[in-house]
Amino acid sequence: QIDVMINGKVVTSYCHKHELTKPILYPVKTLSGIIVNRGYPFEEIEGESDDHPHHTGMFFTYDRVNNDGFWANTTTPPQIKHVQVTEISGGDEKGTLSTVMNWVGISGKTLLEEKRTMVFYSDENEYAIDFTITLTAKDTAVVFEDTKEGMFAIRVAHWLKEREGTGKYLNSEGGETARNVWGRRAEWVLLEGEKDGGKA
């Protein structure tokens, strides 16, 4: 894994262990150290759900790529395999991590090459992660089938739920509540909540 540090503290880690079905950012913390993602299946935290073990950290993937399911799989294949780091750099206001991955189907054949750049910007009060992702078909035509399972996600911590937590969901189109935000087109989506007296 590669740790991302801001002001001497780890805010997240890029994890690409062999047993993972896809590279992820885990855990994801605020600058004050509040963890905003669910711990399961890596950690058991009281009160957290243990459904959908494929929801791990912050991730990018898609179900039904040439009929191979890259979304809900908890074992490999298929797998998005980390190949190499092409850039890693830090600085006072931003750091960059660029990687190459292969989307390997059930047959063992690489369907897609993914080139990803993650730029981490920070100041005294907040930080942002800017993702640029390019997918290139390798050696065969690739079809992304129609599915609701994709593409960019984070499974949030239990305390960010609406009913049993403090979570509030909003989007650029005026949508409020998870029901009115989920699956809707928008320029941005906002999730905020409170934990241990701190806001995230």
Side-chain angles (χ1 to χ4, degrees), residues 17-35:
K17 299 177 183 178
H18 176 72
E19 61 268 24
L20 291 176
T21 58
K22 55 196 174 284
I24 61 173
L25 294 182
Y26 179 90
V28 180
K29 302 177 183 180
T30 66
L31 289 179
S32 63
I34 300 173
I35 298 175

Side-chain angles (χ1 to χ4, degrees), residues 130-141:
D130 186 13
F131 288 78
T132 301
I133 296 171
T134 302
L135 299 175
T136 304
K138 304 296 287 185
D139 303 324
T140 186

Side-chain angles (χ1 to χ4, degrees), residues 168-178 181 188-192:
K168 295 179 182 178
Y169 294 69
L170 309 165
N171 74 11
S172 60
E173 309 308 298
E176 297 184 17
T177 75
V181 168
W188 54 260
V189 176
L190 173 68
L191 169 57
E192 59 185 7

Side-chain angles (χ1 to χ4, degrees), residues 26-27 35 37-45 48-49:
Y26 179 90
I35 298 175
N37 63 274
R38 183 179 71 166
Y40 181 81
F42 307 117
E43 300 176 63
E44 290 190 13
I45 298 173
E48 279 196 342
S49 62

Side-chain angles (χ1 to χ4, degrees), residues 1-197:
Q1 70 182 45
I2 299 171
D3 294 336
V4 178
M5 302 182 72
I6 298 175
N7 298 329
K9 297 179 181 179
V10 175
V11 293
T12 191
S13 297
Y14 171 76
C15 302
H16 56 91
K17 299 177 183 178
H18 176 72
E19 61 268 24
L20 291 176
T21 58
K22 55 196 174 284
I24 61 173
L25 294 182
Y26 179 90
V28 180
K29 302 177 183 180
T30 66
L31 289 179
S32 63
I34 300 173
I35 298 175
V36 300
N37 63 274
R38 183 179 71 166
Y40 181 81
F42 307 117
E43 300 176 63
E44 290 190 13
I45 298 173
E46 186 176 350
E48 279 196 342
S49 62
D50 60 0
D51 63 336
H52 301 296
H54 54 283
H55 290 173
T56 52
M58 182 183 291
F59 58 95
F60 176 82
T61 187
Y62 192 85
D63 203 26
R64 315 321 304 171
V65 180
N66 282 16
N67 207 36
D68 285 348
F70 285 86
W71 178 270
N73 55 321
T74 55
T75 59
T76 61
Q79 182 181 24
I80 302 175
K81 297 179 77 170
H82 170 87
V83 176
Q84 65 176 330
V85 172
T86 56
E87 180 183 355
I88 186 167
S89 62
D92 291 337
E93 297 179 354
K94 73 174 185 177
T96 300
L97 175 60
S98 297
T99 62
V100 176
M101 308 168 200
N102 286 337
W103 291 46
V104 181
I106 291 175
S107 67
K109 186 174 183 177
T110 297
L111 303 177
L112 295 163
E113 178 186 71
E114 175 182 337
K115 291 184 178 179
R116 179 187 301 186
T117 295
M118 295 166 280
V119 181
F120 300 84
Y121 299 94
S122 70
D123 61 27
E124 292 181 1
N125 301 312
E126 61 186 3
Y127 76 97
I129 312 171
D130 186 13
F131 288 78
T132 301
I133 296 171
T134 302
L135 299 175
T136 304
K138 304 296 287 185
D139 303 324
T140 186
V142 174
V143 176
F144 286 78
E145 299 170 35
D146 191 14
T147 172
K148 68 181 180 66
E149 309 293 9
M151 298 184 72
F152 191 82
I154 179 172
R155 180 61 185 262
V156 297
H158 187 82
W159 59 271
L160 280 167
K161 295 179 73 173
E162 282 178 321
R163 293 182 184 170
E164 302 167 29
T166 64
K168 295 179 182 178
Y169 294 69
L170 309 165
N171 74 11
S172 60
E173 309 308 298
E176 297 184 17
T177 75
R179 180 178 181 178
N180 293 317
V181 168
W182 187 86
R184 309 294 175 96
R185 291 183 181 273
E187 292 185 10
W188 54 260
V189 176
L190 173 68
L191 169 57
E192 59 185 7
E194 298 182 13
K195 180 176 174 57
D196 300 331

